[in-house]
Amino acid sequence: MDGKEWSTWSEGAAFGLENGMAVIPYALLKHYRKLGLSGSEAMLLIHLLSFRQVEGIEFPSLEELQTVTGRSISVIAGELQKLMKEGFISIDGDNDELRDIHYERYNFTGLYGKLGTYLAVLRQESAGDQTSRSGGTPDLRAAAHHSGAAAPAGGYGTSAPPVQAREAEQGRSLFSIFEKEFGRPLSPMECETISGWVDQDRYPEELILLALKESVFAGKLHFRYIDRILLEWARNRVKNAQDVKTYSQKFRSGGR
């Protein structure tokens, strides 16, 4: 390498270092597959950590994540949903009373807890305190049990089992439909709301879409209104399209 090439290389290296450096847990890079993460999901976690450490952005938008990953917003939203559902990340909300601003940030406690538990099992096995059924690989099911998380079913590979795959596909479908109706990408908080309807409240996809339709017809297209519709239906045991039709007719006739 001659003097000119060395100068060019050093200038480029200096420019790169000036843009900041992120500290990424090596255990995540080395063991993400054993935690049931795909390469793209692990990279998404790395980007979230990097946004916080280098740019001071604790809650990057889906558009910002799309810029750095080069992937579609619906795919990113689906992966965020999975990471939240499986306890790798969560979202904390807080208020800045001085500026009267509500803001959110990603919480990585779940990720660190899973990594810590996995490494503890790895250390025990290396010391001969535990024997794995797979002949040397830490028993991730035991680690998940101790950390309060569910281990991936059907092995430790990166491909999701059929049930999880169907749930992920359902989530992406709902995200896409909501984005089309709202005419814009959904925020991470809105994605989490949809995930909560599916995973926690156990609303059928059909019912969620009917509530969305009701909000469009009412001219009140916002998540709080849709949530109120779903809650009202749940209280009145409305579970499918036929129940919605019957309930609506009864409501309009004043026979509640």
Side-chain angles (χ1 to χ4, degrees):
M1 182 181 293
D2 59 25
K4 184 177 181 181
E5 290 175 334
W6 177 262
S7 176
T8 302
W9 181 89
S10 62
E11 288 175 359
F15 177 77
L17 292 173
E18 285 177 356
N19 277 267
M21 298 179 66
V23 178
I24 307 300
Y26 178 61
L28 173 61
L29 298 174
K30 186 175 182 180
H31 302 298
Y32 70 87
R33 289 170 60 88
K34 299 300 182 183
L35 296 178
L37 294 171
S38 67
S40 61
E41 291 161 354
M43 182 56 69
L44 183 57
L45 284 170
I46 290 171
H47 280 302
L48 293 176
L49 290 167
S50 300
F51 266 111
R52 168 176 290 187
Q53 296 178 27
V54 179
E55 301 189 40
I57 300 175
E58 295 191 294
F59 199 69
S61 67
L62 292 175
E63 292 86 351
E64 289 172 321
L65 292 171
Q66 182 184 39
T67 299
V68 296
T69 63
R71 311 179 75 215
S72 70
I73 285 179
S74 62
V75 170
I76 295 170
E79 290 180 341
L80 286 171
Q81 178 194 20
K82 179 189 172 184
L83 292 173
M84 287 186 285
K85 179 180 178 181
E86 297 186 357
F88 287 94
I89 58 174
S90 59
I91 297 178
D92 294 337
D94 205 350
N95 293 307
D96 186 334
E97 296 181 358
L98 293 177
R99 295 185 293 174
D100 193 26
I101 296 175
H102 178 79
Y103 61 92
E104 292 84 28
R105 59 175 174 267
Y106 283 108
N107 185 321
F108 299 94
T109 302
L111 169 63
Y112 298 140
K114 289 176 183 291
L115 286 173
T117 301
Y118 182 84
L119 293 175
V121 174
L122 184 66
R123 183 176 181 181
Q124 288 177 355
E125 287 207 343
S126 65
D129 295 332
Q130 180 176 334
T131 302
S132 171
R133 287 174 296 176
S134 59
T137 300
D139 188 343
L140 184 55
R141 289 181 175 83
H145 173 75
H146 290 302
S147 64
Y156 304 134
T158 58
S159 58
V163 173
Q164 290 183 356
R166 286 197 297 271
E167 290 179 351
E169 184 61 34
Q170 180 190 57
R172 285 194 289 272
S173 174
L174 284 174
F175 292 143
S176 300
I177 294 171
F178 269 76
E179 286 179 343
K180 183 177 180 181
E181 291 294 341
F182 276 73
R184 59 170 176 78
L186 301 177
S187 71
M189 280 297 292
E190 290 170 337
C191 292
E192 186 182 30
T193 298
I194 295 175
S195 298
W197 290 337
V198 175
D199 301 327
Q200 299 173 17
D201 300 319
R202 298 294 179 184
Y203 294 136
E205 179 181 359
E206 175 189 38
L207 210 61
I208 296 173
L209 294 177
L210 286 169
L212 173 62
K213 185 177 180 181
E214 288 279 335
S215 72
V216 171
F217 286 159
K220 299 179 180 179
L221 191 58
H222 50 80
F223 275 78
R224 192 169 296 177
Y225 185 76
I226 297 171
D227 190 58
R228 286 203 298 266
I229 293 175
L230 290 169
L231 183 59
E232 179 70 16
W233 285 348
R235 288 172 177 170
N236 289 275
R237 299 183 179 179
V238 175
K239 299 179 179 179
N240 53 48
Q242 183 58 48
D243 289 346
V244 170
K245 183 177 180 180
T246 302
Y247 178 78
S248 298
Q249 291 174 344
K250 183 179 179 181
F251 180 82
R252 294 186 181 111
S253 66
R256 297 183 62 186

